[in-house]
PDB file of all heavy atoms in Angstrom:
ATOM      1  N   ALA A   8     -11.520  13.033   5.587  1.00  0.00           N
ATOM      2  CA  ALA A   8     -12.465  12.219   4.837  1.00  0.00           C
ATOM      3  C   ALA A   8     -13.252  11.298   5.756  1.00  0.00           C
ATOM      4  O   ALA A   8     -14.357  10.895   5.436  1.00  0.00           O
ATOM      5  CB  ALA A   8     -11.725  11.391   3.781  1.00  0.00           C
ATOM      6  N   TRP A   9     -12.647  10.948   6.900  1.00  0.00           N
ATOM      7  CA  TRP A   9     -13.280   9.997   7.801  1.00  0.00           C
ATOM      8  C   TRP A   9     -14.178  10.641   8.844  1.00  0.00           C
ATOM      9  O   TRP A   9     -14.958   9.954   9.489  1.00  0.00           O
ATOM     10  CB  TRP A   9     -12.205   9.201   8.527  1.00  0.00           C
ATOM     11  CG  TRP A   9     -11.639   8.129   7.676  1.00  0.00           C
ATOM     12  CD1 TRP A   9     -11.097   8.254   6.442  1.00  0.00           C
ATOM     13  CD2 TRP A   9     -11.578   6.752   8.001  1.00  0.00           C
ATOM     14  NE1 TRP A   9     -10.686   7.055   5.991  1.00  0.00           N
ATOM     15  CE2 TRP A   9     -10.963   6.109   6.924  1.00  0.00           C
ATOM     16  CE3 TRP A   9     -11.965   6.014   9.100  1.00  0.00           C
ATOM     17  CZ2 TRP A   9     -10.752   4.747   6.919  1.00  0.00           C
ATOM     18  CZ3 TRP A   9     -11.737   4.662   9.088  1.00  0.00           C
ATOM     19  CH2 TRP A   9     -11.139   4.043   7.996  1.00  0.00           C
ATOM     20  N   LEU A  10     -14.098  11.935   9.055  1.00  0.00           N
ATOM     21  CA  LEU A  10     -14.858  12.552  10.141  1.00  0.00           C
ATOM     22  C   LEU A  10     -16.344  12.274  10.011  1.00  0.00           C
ATOM     23  O   LEU A  10     -17.018  11.939  10.987  1.00  0.00           O
ATOM     24  CB  LEU A  10     -14.604  14.060  10.165  1.00  0.00           C
ATOM     25  CG  LEU A  10     -13.263  14.476  10.785  1.00  0.00           C
ATOM     26  CD1 LEU A  10     -13.063  15.975  10.608  1.00  0.00           C
ATOM     27  CD2 LEU A  10     -13.195  14.098  12.246  1.00  0.00           C
ATOM     28  N   CYS A  11     -16.841  12.418   8.795  1.00  0.00           N
ATOM     29  CA  CYS A  11     -18.273  12.162   8.603  1.00  0.00           C
ATOM     30  C   CYS A  11     -18.591  10.686   8.743  1.00  0.00           C
ATOM     31  O   CYS A  11     -19.477  10.279   9.490  1.00  0.00           O
ATOM     32  CB  CYS A  11     -18.708  12.647   7.222  1.00  0.00           C
ATOM     33  SG  CYS A  11     -18.764  14.433   7.086  1.00  0.00           S
ATOM     34  N   GLY A  12     -17.858   9.846   7.997  1.00  0.00           N
ATOM     35  CA  GLY A  12     -18.172   8.437   7.949  1.00  0.00           C
ATOM     36  C   GLY A  12     -18.021   7.742   9.284  1.00  0.00           C
ATOM     37  O   GLY A  12     -18.846   6.936   9.679  1.00  0.00           O
ATOM     38  N   LEU A  13     -16.964   8.057  10.037  1.00  0.00           N
ATOM     39  CA  LEU A  13     -16.712   7.349  11.272  1.00  0.00           C
ATOM     40  C   LEU A  13     -17.653   7.758  12.397  1.00  0.00           C
ATOM     41  O   LEU A  13     -18.125   6.943  13.174  1.00  0.00           O
ATOM     42  CB  LEU A  13     -15.271   7.593  11.728  1.00  0.00           C
ATOM     43  CG  LEU A  13     -14.181   6.845  10.931  1.00  0.00           C
ATOM     44  CD1 LEU A  13     -12.818   7.264  11.425  1.00  0.00           C
ATOM     45  CD2 LEU A  13     -14.351   5.348  11.060  1.00  0.00           C
ATOM     46  N   LEU A  14     -17.921   9.045  12.490  1.00  0.00           N
ATOM     47  CA  LEU A  14     -18.701   9.523  13.626  1.00  0.00           C
ATOM     48  C   LEU A  14     -20.188   9.638  13.325  1.00  0.00           C
ATOM     49  O   LEU A  14     -20.994   9.899  14.199  1.00  0.00           O
ATOM     50  CB  LEU A  14     -18.151  10.889  14.074  1.00  0.00           C
ATOM     51  CG  LEU A  14     -16.690  10.828  14.545  1.00  0.00           C
ATOM     52  CD1 LEU A  14     -16.219  12.220  14.936  1.00  0.00           C
ATOM     53  CD2 LEU A  14     -16.553   9.884  15.724  1.00  0.00           C
ATOM     54  N   LEU A  15     -20.529   9.456  12.045  1.00  0.00           N
ATOM     55  CA  LEU A  15     -21.940   9.462  11.632  1.00  0.00           C
ATOM     56  C   LEU A  15     -22.643  10.748  12.017  1.00  0.00           C
ATOM     57  O   LEU A  15     -23.812  10.764  12.382  1.00  0.00           O
ATOM     58  CB  LEU A  15     -22.678   8.256  12.248  1.00  0.00           C
ATOM     59  CG  LEU A  15     -22.104   6.882  11.884  1.00  0.00           C
ATOM     60  CD1 LEU A  15     -22.906   5.797  12.575  1.00  0.00           C
ATOM     61  CD2 LEU A  15     -22.079   6.660  10.391  1.00  0.00           C
ATOM     62  N   TRP A  16     -21.916  11.889  11.895  1.00  0.00           N
ATOM     63  CA  TRP A  16     -22.508  13.175  12.233  1.00  0.00           C
ATOM     64  C   TRP A  16     -22.857  13.975  10.984  1.00  0.00           C
ATOM     65  O   TRP A  16     -23.075  15.166  11.052  1.00  0.00           O
ATOM     66  CB  TRP A  16     -21.537  13.989  13.093  1.00  0.00           C
ATOM     67  CG  TRP A  16     -21.351  13.391  14.433  1.00  0.00           C
ATOM     68  CD1 TRP A  16     -22.294  12.775  15.193  1.00  0.00           C
ATOM     69  CD2 TRP A  16     -20.147  13.335  15.182  1.00  0.00           C
ATOM     70  NE1 TRP A  16     -21.761  12.340  16.357  1.00  0.00           N
ATOM     71  CE2 TRP A  16     -20.441  12.673  16.387  1.00  0.00           C
ATOM     72  CE3 TRP A  16     -18.844  13.792  14.968  1.00  0.00           C
ATOM     73  CZ2 TRP A  16     -19.489  12.453  17.364  1.00  0.00           C
ATOM     74  CZ3 TRP A  16     -17.896  13.561  15.941  1.00  0.00           C
ATOM     75  CH2 TRP A  16     -18.222  12.908  17.128  1.00  0.00           C
ATOM     76  N   ASN A 432     -16.689  -0.181  15.169  1.00  0.00           N
ATOM     77  CA  ASN A 432     -17.796   0.444  14.461  1.00  0.00           C
ATOM     78  C   ASN A 432     -17.893  -0.092  13.042  1.00  0.00           C
ATOM     79  O   ASN A 432     -17.049  -0.871  12.588  1.00  0.00           O
ATOM     80  CB  ASN A 432     -17.654   1.973  14.459  1.00  0.00           C
ATOM     81  CG  ASN A 432     -16.349   2.442  13.851  1.00  0.00           C
ATOM     82  OD1 ASN A 432     -15.915   1.966  12.818  1.00  0.00           O
ATOM     83  ND2 ASN A 432     -15.700   3.394  14.511  1.00  0.00           N
ATOM     84  N   GLU A 434     -17.343   1.230  10.299  1.00  0.00           N
ATOM     85  CA  GLU A 434     -16.375   1.763   9.352  1.00  0.00           C
ATOM     86  C   GLU A 434     -14.987   1.177   9.541  1.00  0.00           C
ATOM     87  O   GLU A 434     -14.039   1.598   8.887  1.00  0.00           O
ATOM     88  CB  GLU A 434     -16.307   3.299   9.488  1.00  0.00           C
ATOM     89  CG  GLU A 434     -17.634   3.997   9.272  1.00  0.00           C
ATOM     90  CD  GLU A 434     -18.170   3.795   7.865  1.00  0.00           C
ATOM     91  OE1 GLU A 434     -17.360   3.594   6.950  1.00  0.00           O
ATOM     92  OE2 GLU A 434     -19.386   3.822   7.685  1.00  0.00           O
ATOM     93  N   GLY A 435     -14.832   0.221  10.450  1.00  0.00           N
ATOM     94  CA  GLY A 435     -13.542  -0.421  10.638  1.00  0.00           C
ATOM     95  C   GLY A 435     -12.719   0.130  11.776  1.00  0.00           C
ATOM     96  O   GLY A 435     -11.661  -0.409  12.101  1.00  0.00           O
ATOM     97  N   GLY A 436     -13.162   1.227  12.396  1.00  0.00           N
ATOM     98  CA  GLY A 436     -12.458   1.794  13.535  1.00  0.00           C
ATOM     99  C   GLY A 436     -13.054   1.305  14.840  1.00  0.00           C
ATOM    100  O   GLY A 436     -13.874   0.384  14.872  1.00  0.00           O
ATOM    101  N   ASP A 438     -14.942   2.689  18.397  1.00  0.00           N
ATOM    102  CA  ASP A 438     -15.558   3.744  19.187  1.00  0.00           C
ATOM    103  C   ASP A 438     -15.067   3.655  20.622  1.00  0.00           C
ATOM    104  O   ASP A 438     -14.697   2.576  21.114  1.00  0.00           O
ATOM    105  CB  ASP A 438     -17.084   3.602  19.175  1.00  0.00           C
ATOM    106  CG  ASP A 438     -17.677   3.804  17.793  1.00  0.00           C
ATOM    107  OD1 ASP A 438     -17.085   4.575  17.013  1.00  0.00           O
ATOM    108  OD2 ASP A 438     -18.707   3.178  17.492  1.00  0.00           O
ATOM    109  N   ILE A 451     -12.902   8.158  18.593  1.00  0.00           N
ATOM    110  CA  ILE A 451     -12.684   7.042  17.665  1.00  0.00           C
ATOM    111  C   ILE A 451     -11.189   6.928  17.417  1.00  0.00           C
ATOM    112  O   ILE A 451     -10.497   7.927  17.201  1.00  0.00           O
ATOM    113  CB  ILE A 451     -13.436   7.250  16.338  1.00  0.00           C
ATOM    114  CG1 ILE A 451     -14.915   6.964  16.543  1.00  0.00           C
ATOM    115  CG2 ILE A 451     -12.857   6.377  15.240  1.00  0.00           C
ATOM    116  CD1 ILE A 451     -15.745   7.062  15.303  1.00  0.00           C
ATOM    117  N   ASP A 453      -8.414   4.779  15.002  1.00  0.00           N
ATOM    118  CA  ASP A 453      -8.375   3.925  13.817  1.00  0.00           C
ATOM    119  C   ASP A 453      -7.013   3.975  13.159  1.00  0.00           C
ATOM    120  O   ASP A 453      -6.237   4.918  13.374  1.00  0.00           O
ATOM    121  CB  ASP A 453      -9.444   4.348  12.807  1.00  0.00           C
ATOM    122  CG  ASP A 453      -9.904   3.174  11.958  1.00  0.00           C
ATOM    123  OD1 ASP A 453      -9.209   2.151  11.911  1.00  0.00           O
ATOM    124  OD2 ASP A 453     -10.968   3.275  11.333  1.00  0.00           O
ATOM    125  N   PHE A 460      -4.759   7.331  13.898  1.00  0.00           N
ATOM    126  CA  PHE A 460      -5.264   8.630  14.311  1.00  0.00           C
ATOM    127  C   PHE A 460      -6.419   8.495  15.299  1.00  0.00           C
ATOM    128  O   PHE A 460      -7.180   7.527  15.284  1.00  0.00           O
ATOM    129  CB  PHE A 460      -5.691   9.485  13.117  1.00  0.00           C
ATOM    130  CG  PHE A 460      -6.705   8.860  12.203  1.00  0.00           C
ATOM    131  CD1 PHE A 460      -8.059   8.977  12.447  1.00  0.00           C
ATOM    132  CD2 PHE A 460      -6.302   8.167  11.077  1.00  0.00           C
ATOM    133  CE1 PHE A 460      -8.996   8.424  11.597  1.00  0.00           C
ATOM    134  CE2 PHE A 460      -7.226   7.615  10.215  1.00  0.00           C
ATOM    135  CZ  PHE A 460      -8.579   7.744  10.475  1.00  0.00           C
ATOM    136  N   ILE A 462      -9.700  10.634  16.948  1.00  0.00           N
ATOM    137  CA  ILE A 462     -10.629  11.751  16.778  1.00  0.00           C
ATOM    138  C   ILE A 462     -11.440  11.894  18.063  1.00  0.00           C
ATOM    139  O   ILE A 462     -12.078  10.939  18.505  1.00  0.00           O
ATOM    140  CB  ILE A 462     -11.585  11.528  15.591  1.00  0.00           C
ATOM    141  CG1 ILE A 462     -10.798  11.323  14.301  1.00  0.00           C
ATOM    142  CG2 ILE A 462     -12.548  12.697  15.436  1.00  0.00           C
ATOM    143  CD1 ILE A 462     -11.659  10.927  13.123  1.00  0.00           C
TER     144      ILE A 462
END
Side-chain angles (χ1 to χ4, degrees):
W9 281 54
L10 282 174
C11 288
L13 286 176
L14 298 179
L15 301 179
W16 292 323
N432 57 44
E434 302 297 333
D438 295 330
I451 284 183
D453 208 343
F460 56 87
I462 302 173

